[in-house]
């Protein structure tokens, strides 16, 4: 019968990890989960053996074979030099979508938002998390924000497909495209394009700041929310916390080939080994995994039995409250209570249903690669210059004009300071000089410009080429 079993890679983790993993697997198996575990070691012990990624090379073999990772939380040792295992796993396995359902369980678990049922779909691979950071001058550091069309298409299509499979009604996009017109502007545009292919959903876009405020105040107004990596990182924790507790939320990290499922909380080392921890977050991560591996029937049994347990007031210490809770239990007893309710449904909380979920459509058909005509028209050259006098610097830069390139403007941290700057504008040692050609420009002209800058002892720290794409500017115009 072993051939019926789906192989999954399991890491028992650190701190409370082994206890909540044992509890979760016990419940899932009691519900008839058809899984075969391969255990790998990750986390603290591996880090302390000197593997700075926290995962042994042999563990990757298992992950690449099973393509499904059920992961308990790990402890990242204090001190520098240790790479985040989560970031490494997401990037290495291409897990581009992070899905976090944030649900309140009123009146059984205290919350200010009784009707909350929000799913955050967070882009997981790009944005400011590419880790491309530089110190460019004495005073200025830079982190590169990269938003790609394929990355945006993948995550936004995933959000709509998720909404379709899970009978959701509305998909909302959060972005900051009023300020970041190109990066967040692309994300918003792709949301509108792909959204048009899903006419059955209500669609809306919020600027992330006011959207976040609205979500924290009135989460019932949202359903599925899709966002870039940084906004999603921050707001998925906010959403989980206001739903009742970060200890109750599970999360899925989905890629084209592999997927990873976990709780959103950490390894809670102070609670380790005391049979105290709440296994619910990891268990609900396991429910997402069961749906993913094609066992929605088992996922439904587990989830409904869990809801019934919560409703029956059988609670671990972290959610126990005199009055509403009936029985304070440890990790093992909680697992037994859920296992004993397999086959039951909640009576007041809304029961879940996964069995009829339609299969996901091909999520990755991309429109990319239309072959826009790309023309080089100028260059932004960045300089380290210590004197804070824009007039003087502008005049020096004008001496670099020639060979078809001409200084157009100088700015400091994005504010134009030459020509016709304001003396009030504060300037750092990090300057951008925009040189434009009269029509198309060659790479050789730019190299020659930089050569003239070097000979004039001007310290150029980087350049960004200015292109048009089918005649549209691929750069934010000065003063916009
Ligand atoms: P934490 O989530 O481990 O704990 C925060 C608080 O919540 C603590 O009071 C803890 O006791 C409580 N708590 C968390 N999960 C609980 C549960 N299941 N049941 C009952 N109580 C629970 O966060 P932290 O203390 O900031 O981090 C501890 C360690 O976990 C650190 O080494 C951190 O790097 C790591 N961490 C790992 C992950 C991961 O592996 N995905 C995520 C976050 C933090």
């Amino acid at each position: 019968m072993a051939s019926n079993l789906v192989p999954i890679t399991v890491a028992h983790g650190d701190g409370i990890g082994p206890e909540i993993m044992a509890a979760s697997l016990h419940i899932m198996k009691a519900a008839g989960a058809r899984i075969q575990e391969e255990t790998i070691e990750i986390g603290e012990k591996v880090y302390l053996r000197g593997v700075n990624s926290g995962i042994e090379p042999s563990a990757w073999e298992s992950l690449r074979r099973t393509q499904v990772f059920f992961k308990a939380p790990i402890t990242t040792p204090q001190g520098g030099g240790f790479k985040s295992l989560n970031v490494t796993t997401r990037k290495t396995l291409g897990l581009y979508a992070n899905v976090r359902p944030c649900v309140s369980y009123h009146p059984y678990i205290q919350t200010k938002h009784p009707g909350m049922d929000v799913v955050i779909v967070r882009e997981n691979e790009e944005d400011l998390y590419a880790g491309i950071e530089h110190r460019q001058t004495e005073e200025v550091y830079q982190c590169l924000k990269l938003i790609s069309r394929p990355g945006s298409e993948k995550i936004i299509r995933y959000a709509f497909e998720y909404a379709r499979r899970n009978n959701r009604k509305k998909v909302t996009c959060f972005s900051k495209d009023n300020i970041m017109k190109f990066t967040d502007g692309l994300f918003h545009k792709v949301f509108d394009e792909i959204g048009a292919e899903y006419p059955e959903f209500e669609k809306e876009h919020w600027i992330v700041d006011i959207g976040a405020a609205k979500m924290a105040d009135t989460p019932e107004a949202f359903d599925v929310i899709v966002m870039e990596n940084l906004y999603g990182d921050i707001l998925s924790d906010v959403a989980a916390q206001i739903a009742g507790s970060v200890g109750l939320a599970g999360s899925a990290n989905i890629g084209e080939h592999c997927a990873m499922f976990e709780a959103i909380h950490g390894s809670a080392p102070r609670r380790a080994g005391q049979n105290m921890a709440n296994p619910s977050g990891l268990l609900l991560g396991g429910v997402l995994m069961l749906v993913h591996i094609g066992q929605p029937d088992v996922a439904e049994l587990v989830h409904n039995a869990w809801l019934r347990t919560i409703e029956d007031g059988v609670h671990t210490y972290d959610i126990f409250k005199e009055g509403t809770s009936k029985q304070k239990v440890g990790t093992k007893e909680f697992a037994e209570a859920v296992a004993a309710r397999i086959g039951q449904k909640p009576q007041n909380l809304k029961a879940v249903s996964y069995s009829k979920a339609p299969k996901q459509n091909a999520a990755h058909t991309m429109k990319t690669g239309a072959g826009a005509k790309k023309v080089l028209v100028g260059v932004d050259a960045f300089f380290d210059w210590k004197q804070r006098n824009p007039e003087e610097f502008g005049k020096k830069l004008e001496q670099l004009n020639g060979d078809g390139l001409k200084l157009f403007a100088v700015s400091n941290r994005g504010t134009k300071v030459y020509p016709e700057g304001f003396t009030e504008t504060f300037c750092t040692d990090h300057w951008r000089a925009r040189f434009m050609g009269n029509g198309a420009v060659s790479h050789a002209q730019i190299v020659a410009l930089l050569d003239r800058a070097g000979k004039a002892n001007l310290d150029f720290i980087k350049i960004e080429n200015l292109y048009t794409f089918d005649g549209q500017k691929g750069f934010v115009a000065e003063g916009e």
Side-chain angles (χ1 to χ4, degrees):
M1 292 302 277
S3 58
N4 281 342
L5 303 180
V6 176
I8 60 167
T9 301
V10 172
H12 292 261
D14 301 313
I16 59 171
E19 295 162 82
I20 59 173
M21 180 55 84
S24 300
L25 289 171
H26 174 68
I27 297 165
M28 287 156 63
K29 286 184 175 166
R34 302 173 291 280
I35 52 174
Q36 172 92 58
E37 302 126 62
E38 285 188 21
T39 302
I40 59 167
E41 198 185 26
I42 55 166
E44 196 171 23
K45 286 202 205 80
V46 183
Y47 279 119
L48 296 176
R49 275 206 295 272
V51 182
N52 85 335
S53 58
I55 177 165
E56 295 277 7
S58 57
W60 291 114
E61 286 166 27
S62 170
L63 288 169
R64 293 177 84 178
R65 190 169 48 246
T66 67
Q67 303 188 334
V68 182
F69 188 13
F70 193 29
K71 175 181 160 291
I74 59 149
T75 303
T76 311
Q78 296 288 318
F82 302 110
K83 278 167 60 180
S84 158
L85 181 70
N86 266 348
V87 174
T88 306
T89 314
R90 280 178 200 147
K91 286 195 179 173
T92 310
L93 299 179
L95 308 179
Y96 65 88
N98 183 210
V99 183
R100 282 191 185 183
C102 301
V103 186
S104 63
Y105 305 99
H106 177 80
Y108 306 100
I109 295 172
Q110 241 193 348
T111 172
K112 295 191 186 93
H113 305 288
M116 180 170 179
D117 183 2
V118 173
V119 180
I120 307 261
V121 178
R122 162 190 169 194
E123 199 290 318
N124 233 357
E125 289 182 301
E126 46 188 46
D127 191 5
L128 287 155
Y129 287 51
I132 308 173
E133 290 195 285
H134 296 96
R135 180 176 184 176
Q136 298 177 318
T137 66
E138 182 80 23
E139 294 174 350
V140 175
Y141 299 69
Q142 173 189 271
C143 176
L144 206 58
K145 169 162 171 150
L146 292 175
I147 299 294
S148 74
R149 178 171 264 277
S152 304
E153 286 181 3
K154 277 199 300 186
I155 192 66
I156 289 164
R157 190 172 293 284
Y158 186 87
F160 279 104
E161 287 290 328
Y162 178 92
R164 189 174 267 175
R165 278 198 314 283
N166 292 280
N167 290 319
R168 296 279 173 164
K169 302 279 175 283
K170 179 160 90 170
V171 182
T172 304
C173 173
F174 280 5
S175 85
K176 188 79 184 171
D177 64 337
N178 55 332
I179 301 295
M180 283 161 278
K181 298 181 167 94
F182 276 69
T183 48
D184 285 30
L186 172 67
F187 197 78
H188 186 174
K189 186 162 173 256
V190 170
F191 176 77
D192 289 343
E193 284 172 16
I194 291 187
E197 296 176 32
Y198 294 85
E200 73 266 38
F201 294 106
E202 190 188 331
K203 289 164 283 267
E204 60 178 17
H205 171 268
W206 287 75
I207 300 293
V208 61
D209 40 15
I210 189 64
K214 174 87 175 167
M215 185 193 79
D217 181 63
T218 323
E220 315 80 75
F222 296 100
D223 194 350
V224 174
I225 316 180
V226 61
M227 40 190 136
E228 291 167 12
N229 207 340
L230 177 65
Y231 311 141
D233 190 1
I234 298 167
L235 294 180
S236 59
D237 268 22
V238 173
Q241 181 68 34
I242 64 170
S245 163
V246 277
L248 294 178
S251 105
N253 293 271
I254 309 280
E256 274 173 62
H257 307 290
C258 301
M260 172 170 84
F261 303 86
E262 60 184 343
I264 72 167
H265 60 73
S267 59
R270 282 190 313 125
R271 307 289 178 196
Q274 297 160 59
N275 190 36
M276 283 181 84
N278 187 347
S280 300
L282 188 61
L283 181 69
L284 294 180
V287 166
L288 296 169
M289 177 178 76
L290 288 167
V291 175
H292 177 81
I293 63 173
Q295 300 183 17
D297 49 332
V298 189
E300 196 172 304
L301 285 172
V302 171
H303 203 156
N304 282 329
W306 178 82
L307 286 166
R308 181 61 181 264
T309 311
I310 294 297
E311 201 179 79
D312 285 347
V314 182
H315 294 167
T316 44
Y317 83 94
D318 54 312
I319 52 170
F320 185 87
K321 192 159 177 292
E322 287 299 344
T324 30
S325 305
K326 301 229 164 52
Q327 203 187 339
K328 192 190 273 185
V329 290
T331 314
K332 281 191 186 137
E333 296 71 27
F334 183 81
E336 288 305 340
V338 180
R341 286 167 176 76
I342 299 291
Q344 297 183 29
K345 288 188 172 171
Q347 292 172 314
N348 298 311
L349 291 170
K350 196 164 155 261
V352 296
S353 164
Y354 295 114
S355 304
K356 293 182 197 70
K359 285 223 50 91
Q360 181 171 349
N361 289 333
H364 318 305
T365 40
M366 288 182 225
K367 294 183 177 164
T368 312
K373 186 164 186 279
K374 180 180 173 193
V375 179
L376 182 60
V377 295
V379 66
D380 275 350
F382 291 77
F383 291 89
D384 181 347
W385 198 68
K386 300 277 179 270
Q387 288 81 36
R388 296 180 202 270
N389 182 340
E391 280 296 314
E392 187 189 334
F393 192 45
K395 300 247 153 39
K396 269 186 188 298
L397 289 166
E398 266 164 356
Q399 289 167 17
L400 305 179
N401 285 349
D403 189 25
L405 281 170
K406 187 162 176 264
L407 184 71
F408 178 75
V410 182
S411 62
N412 198 295
R413 293 186 303 175
T415 305
K416 188 175 126 189
V417 290
Y418 181 86
E420 295 155 16
F422 278 48
T423 47
E424 289 85 352
T425 307
F426 176 76
C427 293
T428 67
D429 57 5
H430 185 274
W431 304 77
R432 178 181 67 173
R434 175 161 292 180
F435 290 88
M436 299 298 292
N438 191 9
V441 166
S442 69
H443 284 96
Q445 283 170 280
I446 291 174
V447 173
L449 173 82
L450 296 178
D451 189 44
R452 294 196 292 280
K455 287 188 173 127
N457 276 329
L458 293 175
D459 179 13
F460 60 87
I461 50 182
K462 77 158 188 171
I463 62 163
E464 292 285 351
N465 287 349
L466 307 177
Y467 295 102
T468 57
F469 293 82
D470 286 338
Q472 302 264 10
K473 279 183 186 147
F475 48 95
V476 175
E478 254 326 313
E480 273 185 25

